[in-house]
Amino acid sequence: MKEILTERLILRNFVASDAEGMLEYLSNPRAECFIDEKITHYHEAVERIKESCSDDTHIAVCLKSNNAIIGELFAIKEETDTYTVGWNFNIKYGGKGYAYESAVALLNHLFLKDARRIYAYVADDNPGSYRLCERLGMRKEGHFLEFISFTNHPDGTPKYENSYQYAILKREWNMV
């Protein structure tokens, strides 16, 4: 992927030096949907980066000031012109607008490339993420009850999560 620059951020493919920063945000995922991506050791981050360094579906989000990784975005092409997107950020960088700034850049990039429709699934107990979707101009298209399970209850039965689906079409995109 060609680097995308914003006012304060660099969006790029992962590189080996991102391992420590990746470990920091994946060792304690904020949302249940990232629980299966949890890692606890540095070597796991190194392996994850080896798998994704040439993969344009997962994009490192870094500070321009020092190139430190603060999170990641993903964009997975599902149809010829439809993408599902998402984000996962280090909690210590929250509240600074980085998720919004990087998501605007990603959506703009995808719409300029070949996207007609972009959507995101967001757990209904993750208000920061669904507010981000709304701020991006995405509309809520559905509320799926007991949609998916990422973890189990103490008795071993699946704990199902409720999810919202948000989407936006290219003709609706205004580069917020």
Side-chain angles (χ1 to χ4, degrees):
M1 174 182 151
K2 185 180 111 183
E3 282 188 349
I4 299 171
L5 303 176
T6 71
E7 183 180 335
R8 303 175 295 165
L9 303 171
I10 303 168
L11 281 60
R12 59 166 173 73
N13 288 103
F14 284 92
V15 295
S17 60
D18 293 331
E20 190 173 319
M22 177 185 271
L23 176 61
E24 191 171 332
Y25 69 85
L26 286 182
S27 64
N28 190 20
R30 293 169 58 181
E32 292 287 329
C33 64
F34 293 111
I35 204 75
D36 61 342
E37 294 187 27
K38 182 177 181 171
I39 57 177
T40 55
H41 296 88
Y42 181 80
H43 74 275
E44 292 173 298
V46 170
E47 288 304 311
R48 181 82 50 93
I49 286 171
K50 282 181 187 175
E51 294 168 6
S52 62
C53 67
S54 62
D55 177 8
D56 288 347
T57 61
H58 286 78
I59 302 155
V61 179
C62 306
L63 296 175
K64 254 188 189 177
S65 60
N66 61 7
N67 205 30
I69 185 169
I70 62 169
E72 66 183 90
L73 302 169
F74 68 82
I76 300 169
K77 193 171 191 175
E78 294 194 346
E79 301 287 330
T80 57
D81 58 4
T82 301
Y83 289 82
T84 181
V85 297
W87 33 81
N88 189 8
F89 283 86
N90 186 325
I91 194 166
K92 76 180 191 181
Y93 295 98
K96 295 176 174 46
Y98 294 134
Y100 175 75
E101 185 174 330
S102 61
V104 166
L106 175 65
L107 269 61
N108 192 53
H109 169 75
L110 294 174
F111 281 130
L112 288 173
K113 182 178 173 186
D114 63 356
R116 174 191 58 84
R117 175 182 167 80
I118 297 172
Y119 74 93
Y121 286 116
V122 180
D124 70 355
D125 64 352
N126 188 350
S129 198
Y130 63 72
R131 282 190 208 117
L132 175 57
C133 288
E134 291 166 358
R135 192 167 173 214
L136 290 166
M138 300 174 91
R139 80 188 149 294
K140 187 189 308 180
E141 293 190 324
H143 187 192
F144 303 100
L145 301 180
E146 297 185 12
F147 183 60
I148 194 162
S149 175
F150 300 104
T151 60
N152 291 331
H153 291 288
D155 68 0
T157 60
K159 177 184 173 192
Y160 288 99
E161 304 290 331
N162 300 331
S163 297
Y164 295 128
Q165 180 176 326
Y166 284 85
I168 190 165
L169 300 172
K170 181 175 185 173
R171 63 182 162 82
E172 299 169 319
W173 179 244
N174 293 320
M175 270 188 57
V176 191

